[in-house]
Amino acid sequence: DDKKSMAERIRDAEARSRNVKGVYMTSVVANDKGRAASKLRNDIVELIDTTELNGVVIDVKETEGGFILGDNLRGLITALHEKNVWVIARLVVFKDDSQEKNHPEWYLKRASGAIWRDNRGGSWLDPASKDVWDYQIALAKQASDAGFDEVQFDYIRFPSDGDVRNAKYPAYDGKE
């Protein structure tokens, strides 16, 4: 409600979020207009309608491919809100390949200057980079503006598999 103060809105959100019983939905299921995804999406909504479930976590940014927030997803958020469902956006933070071309300077590197990769070939953003923080916050704001009630940050950690000793952190100065 636009007439409530920010403190009242935060209090209401905290109260609602304490009792969420949710289910998880991939980005493909939430966004794809094909028959298979539509069936899975409808099955999840039916499960919410027929059980005590009252929340759903939806991927909006995974480790590969970047941020996805399409019109189909916006419509789903609206439909879920009409059922009084708490809708949570899941954003993967540091394990993220989406900015390799636009911002290679944000990534962990090898001594050679090449992007460091974990055992699965994944790239990792530098957790010490303020530019990376700003990028993640901007995406969270977009998710909030799209109607998500909450943002769940995932992969807020350093890489743990692969040749981690040879990963160089471009923004980390070793002191802070």
Side-chain angles (χ1 to χ4, degrees):
D1 187 7
D2 291 339
K3 295 179 184 178
K4 290 185 178 181
S5 72
M6 182 60 73
E8 290 171 316
R9 292 169 58 201
I10 290 170
R11 187 187 64 240
D12 291 351
E14 287 174 340
R16 278 205 62 207
S17 68
R18 279 190 200 104
N19 298 307
V20 173
K21 296 176 184 173
V23 64
Y24 168 76
M25 186 182 296
T26 67
S27 178
V28 171
V29 171
N31 286 287
D32 194 290
K33 294 179 181 173
R35 189 167 46 196
S38 294
K39 178 171 181 355
L40 282 170
R41 190 170 47 249
N42 292 337
D43 287 349
I44 291 170
V45 171
E46 182 180 340
L47 188 64
I48 290 169
D49 286 342
T50 59
T51 67
E52 71 278 2
L53 295 174
N54 62 356
V56 62
V57 176
I58 300 172
D59 282 332
V60 295
K61 183 173 164 282
E62 247 303 344
T63 60
E64 298 174 353
F67 190 65
I68 300 171
L69 193 62
D71 291 337
N72 204 43
L73 179 53
R74 291 174 197 272
L76 176 61
I77 293 167
T78 299
L80 290 168
H81 281 159
E82 288 170 0
K83 296 172 178 292
N84 204 30
V85 174
W86 189 254
V87 187
I88 303 164
R90 177 180 171 263
L91 275 91
V92 167
V93 179
F94 296 123
K95 185 173 182 178
D96 174 355
D97 71 359
S98 70
Q99 298 300 305
E100 286 183 14
K101 287 188 173 85
N102 293 333
H103 295 286
E105 72 278 10
W106 290 357
Y107 285 87
L108 302 187
K109 300 286 194 305
R110 295 199 159 278
S112 68
I115 291 176
W116 180 89
R117 300 200 181 273
D118 63 20
N119 283 345
R120 294 182 176 198
S123 55
W124 289 73
L125 294 165
D126 186 344
S129 169
K130 291 194 181 349
D131 290 332
V132 169
W133 301 352
D134 291 342
Y135 162 67
Q136 301 296 349
I137 295 296
L139 297 180
K141 286 179 180 177
Q142 286 180 46
S144 177
D145 290 345
F148 281 96
D149 299 301
E150 182 176 328
V151 175
Q152 172 194 5
F153 293 104
D154 200 355
Y155 280 87
I156 304 178
R157 62 178 180 85
F158 295 92
S160 59
D161 65 319
D163 188 11
V164 294
R165 279 188 266 149
N166 287 319
K168 307 295 180 205
Y169 293 75
Y172 180 60
D173 66 8
K175 296 176 185 149
E176 290 185 38

